[in-house]
Amino acid sequence: MIHSASVKSSQDNQQLNDSLVEHEILRTNHRTGMSVADLKQAFLDNLFYDQGKFPALATQRDYYMALAYTVRDRLLQRWNHTAATYTEQGSRTVAYFSAEFLMGPQLGKNLNSLGIYNQVQTAITELGLDFEVMLAEEAEPGLGNGGLGRLAACYLDSLATLEIPSLGYGIRYEFGIFQQDLQDGWQVEKTDKWLRLGNPWELKRPEWEVEVKFGGHTDTYIDDKGCYGVRWIPDQVVSGIPYDTPILGYQTATANTLRLWTAEAPESFNFESFNSGDYLGAVYEKVISENISKVLYPNDDSSQGKQLRLTQQYFFVACSLQDMLRILLGQGFPLEKFADKFAVQLNDTHPAIAVVELMRLFVDEHHLGWEQAWSITQRTFGYTNHTLLPEALERWPVELFEHLLPRHLQLIYEINHRFIDEVRIKFPGDEARLTRLSLIDETGERSIRMAHLACVGSHTINGVAALHTELLKQDVLQDFYAMYPHKFQNKTNGVTPRRFMVLSNPKLTDLITTKIGDQWIRSLEQLQQLEVFTDDPPFQDSWREVKLNCKRELAVLIQQQTGIIVDPNSMFDILIKRFHEYKRQHLKVLHIIALYNRIKANPDIDITPRTFIFGGKAAPGYWMAKLIIKLINSVADVVNRDPDVRGRLKVVFMKNFSVKLAQHLYPAADLSEQISTAGKEASGTGNMKFALNGALTVGTLDGANVEIREQVGAENFFLFGLTTEQIYEMRSKGYDPQTYYQSNPELKLAIDRISSGFFSSGDTEVFKSLTDSLLYHDPYFLLADFQSYLNIQEQVDLAFRDTARWTQMSVLNVARAGIFSSDRAIQEYCDQIWNIKPTKVKLPFSNSQESPDAPTNSKQISTAGKIN
Ligand SMILES: *Cc1c(COP(=O)(O)O)cnc(C)c1O
């Protein structure tokens, strides 16, 4: 056990300590009690004392805030005990470094974690207020683009639930991912002012402010012991201020921390300029500093190479590492124990500069020798790769580095020099290999390869699905695999069942729980126990009833948002994810057009009625992705209005796809569309959320689809399309989309209808770049996969008509998808990468699950907030 500074100081003050314990017992009922009466009292207190309102003046926002503070008080109790336990025990800690955390709304999640959903709902209702409206009031913290940021959020949930000491480190963007609006079918972006009305879940910690340097130059010096050293003389210094959000595990006492950094100027005013009368000049520096954490870059799977982005990356990494040193030294550990105290995971290369920054802290600021510093650094970091797309691999021009981080460039050269020597020893005389492996790309403008830096500086490199890891070894990182085969591991992604089942699909949760108890919520493999009920007719009826209910609720939401009326008895065929050509939303559009054309050619044709639902954002600078959104809306306009099609096909685009919206979509799906070009999607997690909510998948052998199919059984999965190998082969032989276009009349008609202006009031120009791309390049092989996709969709149509069989497949998907829990993924990271074990946190006295009025299990679960 380590005696930390803070423990000592509180021990010194025995009197305060005793008073705090006494006070905690006294206030338990008023401030943190879980009974309906306590909750009502606390809510009214918070309305009065925190919002400063009496009921006649209070707005919905005040009610939401008062409730959020009521919940927060109960989180804080656990949070403080967790922090005290970790400090006392000096627990080994995971630091999850991520430029994005897509957390989703916190209120409902925290109510479920605390186990007080039902009591709070009752308390609020008894006060005559609308609980659902209160939930819907919460602004989503959209601090991520898509899968990568959401993965980070699921992992924090699992870390806390598995009682693993951990910190999430990232950036508190003032503006998160833009709000997506539609004008005439085109995406329009609006700033996401998520903090405008305040964020009740965070606590500012100005006392842990740190400074971050930028620019300038370096200098050498000889110290009093005659040792050579390097000094970095920056030309700008920025303050990093941490804001903490508690992350409570599911019905545990563990509350970990998400620590996000905001950039501020160290002095509000530059007094030199101020005194000389240059008032605007004086505040200029403040404005420049604050820009760093102003806005999230809205690109998913592509790197723009902008200076501000590198500034953001270095900023949060430098803040976090300093913070970790403060914790380490504060708990009485020596510097040399850094890698024993912390396991740092790099979520993609966005935080990869941490490798160099930690070396700089050790070597320049704490005067460790290079070898020792490097050994600690390598033992600290693990690197998760998230992509197979070349355009997503981060490269920063050497010139930019020299300008922004001059000392880091020198250190990178030194790291590279030593690495290249290592390669020479392993592969003598192989000059081409040195060029390929170097941290510096010398072709064209010289640049730093961040993935190479991450590979060299980490003890472990992992992919995020079995296929992805294999492709990293064989292709993207093959030279690193040859160099360090022992570093490579696979960690297939997972999702948290607490948010994506319990919170968002309470009726399914209750149905499952009545059959197999509630332990599956923490041990998702237990869903296997559902298999014995697969063919049980009353269970099947209940299962269908649950799905129909979700679809009805979504139908209401669709009508509110779009005015479109959809039939909950039709098949809900859903494609929701970021817009990207490799994800092939336009293949889905070709399918819809082909069905439409079949109906037009033969109005009596027997087609299974479907509602096609799309959602997702396009990067604002990604023209083709935006054009695909426009195409969907144009096709929707024609199809939804055509009387020949009535009752058979509906096309809906739900704008502003987010976690909040996602929670209404995954549960309502019959069919999950996972149709990326094989070899392009690293894993996908949307595919897992759908399967766990009883949707069947139509998909390619890509990412985690491969493993989903293995788990649920080939007979319960609709497979189509070329394999990765076939795609590689076709590309190497010279792929010509024209051969498919010319020989397939349905394909030709579908594309011709787009070109002819049929969906664009005669405008033959608007979609030309899209059709030209398909006809003359088709880099994602839509035309090659088109017929296979149409064929499998006919199988889907037939299967959906056999209700009993479909239900059986749906149950089997849920029963066999338990492995895709983020708990399983995090357990693997703990055992195989981080070498870390749980630290139990105990409340000093129980007012939690065991208290007499506390709920017993899933009955406290209810719906997620409505969408505004
Ligand atoms: C799960 C999720 C994603 C990732 O979806 P994929 O289909 O795996 O690309 C993106 N955005 C949100 C809001 C999500 O919940």
Side-chain angles (χ1 to χ4, degrees):
M1 193 191 283
I2 304 297
H3 277 277
S4 76
S6 53
V7 171
K8 272 189 200 127
S9 66
S10 65
Q11 277 169 349
D12 292 347
N13 195 342
Q14 193 59 44
Q15 203 178 346
L16 176 63
N17 229 21
D18 293 347
S19 314
L20 278 174
V21 171
E22 196 180 320
H23 176 66
E24 184 152 5
I25 294 166
L26 282 176
R27 82 178 169 211
T28 296
N29 289 335
H30 307 99
R31 195 96 202 220
T32 55
M34 302 293 201
S35 71
V36 171
D38 286 338
L39 289 163
K40 273 192 203 168
Q41 188 60 50
F43 173 82
L44 293 173
D45 270 3
N46 284 330
L47 189 63
F48 191 88
Y49 291 111
D50 285 325
Q51 297 308 110
K53 290 277 180 76
F54 59 92
L57 264 193
T59 62
Q60 280 304 336
R61 183 72 196 172
D62 293 319
Y63 294 141
Y64 161 74
M65 291 296 269
L67 180 56
Y69 283 123
T70 303
V71 175
R72 196 179 82 175
D73 284 341
R74 283 143 186 86
L75 293 180
L76 288 183
Q77 188 190 35
R78 283 154 179 77
W79 205 17
N80 286 329
H81 284 292
T82 302
T85 305
Y86 292 170
T87 306
E88 195 178 290
Q89 303 195 6
S91 306
R92 179 164 167 77
T93 301
V94 174
Y96 199 82
F97 278 26
S98 181
E100 304 186 4
F101 286 94
L102 195 54
M103 299 300 288
Q106 295 296 294
L107 179 54
K109 181 65 184 43
N110 283 328
L111 289 175
N112 263 344
S113 295
L114 285 166
I116 56 170
Y117 202 106
N118 284 357
Q119 292 94 305
V120 167
Q121 191 168 27
T122 306
I124 296 302
T125 310
E126 285 183 11
L127 288 168
L129 298 169
D130 189 332
F131 178 64
E132 293 295 322
V133 172
M134 243 177 253
L135 281 178
E137 191 62 31
E138 182 166 352
E140 172 161 345
L143 309 187
N145 276 283
L148 176 144
R150 185 54 233 176
L151 184 76
C154 284
Y155 281 179
L156 293 188
D157 181 73
S158 287
L159 282 162
T161 299
L162 296 176
E163 305 180 306
I164 304 295
S166 54
L167 277 159
Y169 277 116
I171 302 172
R172 182 177 174 272
Y173 301 105
E174 186 180 339
F175 304 117
I177 186 67
F178 63 84
Q179 301 275 326
Q180 178 190 54
D181 212 339
L182 292 173
Q183 272 174 24
D184 189 30
W186 293 96
Q187 169 176 299
V188 176
E189 302 91 21
K190 290 189 178 154
T191 29
D192 167 50
K193 300 181 182 162
W194 73 287
L195 289 169
R196 189 183 41 197
L197 298 171
N199 172 12
W201 305 106
E202 66 184 11
L203 269 87
K204 186 176 184 174
R205 307 290 201 189
E207 68 276 23
W208 294 331
E209 171 177 354
V210 295
E211 288 198 338
V212 180
K213 302 185 255 192
F214 290 100
H217 62 279
T218 64
D219 228 351
T220 59
Y221 65 92
I222 308 283
D223 69 13
D224 16 347
K225 293 182 198 119
C227 289
Y228 168 90
V230 179
R231 216 175 356 233
W232 174 16
I233 298 111
D235 61 14
Q236 195 196 356
V237 177
V238 172
S239 283
I241 315 285
Y243 285 73
D244 287 357
T245 301
I247 308 294
L248 184 63
Y250 183 72
Q251 297 180 12
T252 67
T254 297
N256 289 326
T257 298
L258 170 61
R259 181 161 294 163
L260 302 178
W261 299 93
T262 285
E264 287 185 9
E267 301 274 340
S268 294
F269 288 94
N270 176 333
F271 282 98
E272 232 169 89
S273 313
F274 187 60
N275 291 334
S276 65
D278 181 9
Y279 181 80
L280 291 180
V283 284
Y284 177 73
E285 203 174 304
K286 183 170 158 65
V287 171
I288 296 291
S289 301
E290 288 172 1
N291 271 342
I292 294 174
S293 54
K294 191 64 80 182
V295 60
L296 168 75
Y297 275 85
N299 306 307
D300 193 62
D301 269 320
S302 91
S303 169
Q304 262 193 324
K306 287 277 195 291
Q307 173 168 331
L308 181 58
R309 173 72 172 175
L310 179 60
T311 307
Q312 289 183 337
Q313 295 182 351
Y314 177 64
F315 167 73
F316 96 85
V317 156
C319 290
S320 308
L321 289 173
Q322 284 185 71
D323 194 56
M324 290 159 69
L325 283 178
R326 173 185 64 75
I327 294 169
L328 180 82
L329 302 175
Q331 291 184 3
F333 291 99
L335 199 63
E336 289 76 9
K337 290 283 180 196
F338 193 89
D340 302 284
K341 170 70 186 171
F342 291 112
V344 180
Q345 195 64 25
L346 304 173
N347 197 23
D348 211 318
T349 57
H350 315 144
I353 188 63
V355 169
V356 192
E357 174 65 2
L358 189 57
M359 283 300 285
R360 190 189 70 77
L361 289 168
F362 284 155
V363 172
D364 290 359
E365 307 215 342
H366 293 273
H367 310 290
L368 291 191
W370 183 279
E371 309 289 345
Q372 190 185 17
W374 185 243
S375 156
I376 302 171
T377 298
Q378 272 192 325
R379 283 188 294 119
T380 297
F381 292 105
Y383 160 49
T384 304
N385 175 290
H386 279 274
T387 189
L388 293 160
L389 303 182
E391 64 269 34
L393 290 174
E394 292 192 294
R395 289 187 170 83
W396 297 105
V398 166
E399 213 177 307
L400 176 57
F401 247 92
E402 193 148 33
H403 172 67
L404 197 68
L405 301 169
R407 178 57 182 151
H408 295 77
L409 183 60
Q410 293 169 352
L411 292 167
I412 288 171
Y413 284 147
E414 183 61 28
I415 293 167
N416 195 38
H417 180 78
R418 288 164 185 255
F419 170 58
I420 292 294
D421 282 349
E422 219 183 299
V423 181
R424 279 212 173 90
I425 291 167
K426 185 147 183 170
F427 299 99
D430 192 346
E431 287 302 308
R433 185 182 296 270
L434 301 183
T435 316
R436 293 199 306 270
L437 275 168
S438 173
L439 305 195
I440 320 291
D441 184 351
E442 309 271 356
T443 58
E445 187 191 23
R446 294 178 74 233
S447 59
I448 315 286
R449 295 157 160 163
M450 299 307 275
H452 292 208
L453 175 62
C455 286
V456 173
S458 301
H459 54 82
T460 306
I461 302 160
N462 77 279
V464 291
L467 174 66
H468 173 229
T469 301
E470 282 314 304
L471 294 172
L472 289 181
K473 292 194 216 171
Q474 292 163 21
D475 186 15
V476 184
L477 297 175
Q478 61 173 100
D479 291 314
F480 280 95
Y481 184 55
M483 189 67 202
Y484 302 125
H486 59 279
K487 283 194 184 186
F488 283 74
Q489 290 193 23
N490 177 58
K491 292 287 163 283
T492 299
N493 284 165
V495 300
T496 171
R498 271 77 62 183
R499 184 174 289 274
F500 290 106
M501 298 178 79
V502 177
L503 183 64
S504 58
N505 201 342
K507 294 207 170 70
L508 183 66
T509 299
D510 283 347
L511 175 58
I512 295 171
T513 299
T514 56
K515 288 292 175 188
I516 66 170
D518 66 356
Q519 283 308 301
W520 61 273
I521 296 171
R522 298 160 144 283
S523 310
L524 206 61
E525 328 74 64
Q526 292 193 15
L527 289 173
Q528 275 170 6
Q529 296 167 25
L530 287 174
E531 283 212 26
V532 296
F533 305 105
T534 310
D535 300 316
D536 174 38
F539 180 72
Q540 280 211 346
D541 287 342
S542 311
W543 192 267
R544 275 193 294 270
E545 185 61 31
V546 166
K547 180 61 80 181
L548 187 61
N549 230 298
C550 292
K551 290 167 74 176
R552 286 202 181 109
E553 284 176 17
L554 180 58
V556 171
L557 192 65
I558 289 173
Q559 195 182 355
Q560 282 168 359
Q561 274 209 1
T562 68
I564 300 169
I565 293 170
V566 302
D567 176 5
N569 291 305
S570 65
M571 184 200 308
F572 278 20
D573 176 347
I574 305 190
L575 178 43
I576 44 176
K577 47 186 78 242
R578 282 299 290 250
F579 271 81
H580 202 296
E581 286 165 281
Y582 86 77
K583 292 183 185 268
R584 301 202 293 194
Q585 281 94 350
H586 43 343
L587 178 57
K588 180 84 235 158
V589 178
L590 291 178
H591 171 226
I592 296 170
I593 296 173
L595 291 180
Y596 175 79
N597 290 341
R598 282 181 192 175
I599 294 172
K600 294 306 280 185
N602 177 8
D604 297 326
I605 193 173
D606 192 15
I607 279 181
T608 304
R610 294 204 199 202
T611 301
F612 301 97
I613 300 166
F614 292 87
K617 293 173 184 178
Y622 188 172
W623 164 252
M624 195 61 83
K626 291 177 127 175
L627 192 55
I628 297 171
I629 292 177
K630 169 65 179 169
L631 177 63
I632 290 168
N633 287 311
S634 300
V635 170
D637 278 348
V638 171
V639 171
N640 295 347
R641 267 176 219 170
D642 192 325
D644 290 351
V645 175
R646 186 161 302 150
R648 294 194 276 188
L649 307 180
K650 276 275 162 68
V651 182
V652 175
F653 187 96
M654 296 285 275
K655 70 182 181 186
N656 207 35
F657 182 55
S658 58
V659 176
K660 212 172 180 179
L661 179 56
Q663 289 176 207
H664 296 268
L665 289 166
Y666 294 114
D670 294 304
L671 189 64
S672 159
E673 296 276 352
Q674 307 300 334
I675 61 177
S676 53
T677 315
K680 293 291 175 189
E681 187 76 89
S683 165
T685 50
N687 46 6
M688 302 168 185
K689 299 171 201 164
F690 277 115
L692 286 167
N693 281 282
L696 304 193
T697 306
V698 57
T700 49
L701 283 178
D702 200 17
N705 297 352
V706 177
E707 289 153 86
I708 292 176
R709 179 166 171 268
E710 269 168 27
Q711 289 296 320
V712 306
E715 68 284 7
N716 302 306
F717 185 104
F718 298 101
L719 178 69
F720 79 99
L722 297 166
T723 63
T724 306
E725 244 175 43
Q726 290 168 332
I727 297 262
Y728 278 22
E729 190 182 311
M730 210 175 242
R731 195 181 289 123
S732 71
K733 283 187 178 156
Y735 167 57
D736 181 11
Q738 282 292 321
T739 52
Y740 294 92
Y741 173 74
Q742 297 299 347
S743 65
N744 186 330
E746 272 198 291
L747 174 61
K748 185 167 186 305
L749 182 58
I751 294 181
D752 288 350
R753 281 221 147 139
I754 300 172
S755 311
S756 71
F758 185 89
F759 299 107
S760 43
S761 321
D763 183 341
T764 55
E765 281 304 307
V766 56
F767 296 120
K768 191 166 181 344
S769 53
L770 196 153
T771 50
D772 279 357
S773 168
L774 289 180
L775 290 172
Y776 305 112
H777 307 285
D778 193 19
Y780 298 101
F781 298 84
L782 277 76
L783 273 55
D785 272 347
F786 174 82
Q787 192 56 50
S788 167
Y789 187 51
L790 245 58
N791 294 345
I792 197 68
Q793 289 287 5
E794 286 194 26
Q795 298 301 309
V796 173
D797 261 11
L798 291 176
F800 193 71
R801 291 163 178 239
D802 183 347
T803 315
R805 169 80 186 115
W806 185 276
T807 308
Q808 183 190 48
M809 291 195 284
S810 168
V811 176
L812 285 175
N813 264 262
V814 174
R816 297 173 177 178
I819 198 171
F820 300 108
S821 167
S822 46
D823 297 345
R824 184 270 315 150
I826 283 298
Q827 193 62 58
E828 290 179 8
Y829 277 93
C830 286
D831 295 342
Q832 296 159 20
I833 300 185
W834 300 330
N835 185 30
I836 190 166
K837 300 237 152 23
T839 292
K840 288 268 172 210
V841 176
K842 282 215 165 60
L843 295 177
F845 43 85
S846 175
N847 65 352
S848 59
Q849 294 90 36
E850 291 84 34
S851 66
D853 51 55
T856 41
N857 54 41
S858 70
K859 291 295 184 290
Q860 58 207 280
I861 291 146
S862 184
T863 53
K866 286 179 194 152
I867 301 289
N868 287 319

